[in-house]
Amino acid sequence: MRRLNIFLLLIALQWGCKKDVVKPPLQQTDGKTGMLAAVNSLRQAGCTCGTTVMPPVPPLIWSDTLQTAANEHARDMYFNNYFSHIAPDGSSPIQRAQTAGYTGTSILENIAEGYYNLTDVINGWKQSEDHCRAMMDSSSTEMGAARANQYWVQEFGKP
C-alpha cells in the first residue's frame, strides 16, 4: 500500500509540475515581395543544385491562390506541430492548391522549418538539391509563399 501511495504521489507531482508548452505568438509573412524577389534573383542568375548546373530561367509571377495554399500549410504545420508535405488529414500539395482554388496543372512545394529570416531559408533550400531544383524548375511560371514563425512554404505552379 505504501508503494502505491508513493507511486501516486510521484505521478501527481509530475503532472502538477508539467509545464504547458506555449507557442510564441504567430508571425506570418506572405512572401510576395521578399520571397518572390529572392527566388527570381536566383532564377535570373542560374545556380548549381547539387552537382547539376542550372542555367538561368524566366522569372516567376506571384499567385495569390498559391500564396493562400502556402499560408494554410505553414499555419497548419505551426499549429499542429508537424513538418511534412503530407498534412495529418492526408492532403498533398496539389490537393491543398486545388482547395485554395488553383486550377494549374503542376505543383512543386518546398517546406522548411527552423529558419527565422528569408536569407537563411533561401540559402537552406539552395543547399538541398531537390529544393534548389524546385526553385529553378523552368516549367513553373508562378509561385506563392508564406511563413508561420519558423515554418516556411513555397508553392510553384504552372497554369
Side-chain angles (χ1 to χ4, degrees), residues 87-146:
D89 68 3
S91 63
S92 67
I94 189 70
Q95 291 168 323
R96 289 189 297 273
Q98 289 170 341
T99 298
Y102 193 69
T103 58
T105 59
S106 171
I107 292 290
L108 297 174
E109 178 180 78
N110 280 345
I111 60 175
E113 177 187 17
Y115 296 95
Y116 290 93
N117 66 63
L118 179 63
T119 301
D120 289 347
V121 75
I122 290 290
N123 285 334
W125 280 325
K126 281 173 46 179
Q127 299 305 310
S128 163
E129 185 170 356
D130 289 341
H131 294 96
C132 180
R133 290 172 73 92
M135 291 189 291
M136 294 298 295
D137 189 281
S138 63
S139 68
S140 294
T141 59
E142 53 188 8
M143 77 171 289

Side-chain angles (χ1 to χ4, degrees), residues 9-51:
L9 178 63
L10 289 174
I11 289 176
L13 286 173
Q14 181 179 7
W15 183 77
C17 294
K18 183 180 178 183
K19 294 183 180 179
D20 289 331
V21 175
V22 178
K23 287 190 173 280
L26 181 64
Q27 296 177 6
Q28 291 184 259
T29 306
D30 69 6
K32 188 170 185 173
T33 54
M35 181 70 75
L36 182 62
V39 172
N40 279 338
S41 177
L42 183 69
R43 289 171 68 90
Q44 180 181 7
C47 66
T48 301
C49 298
T51 58

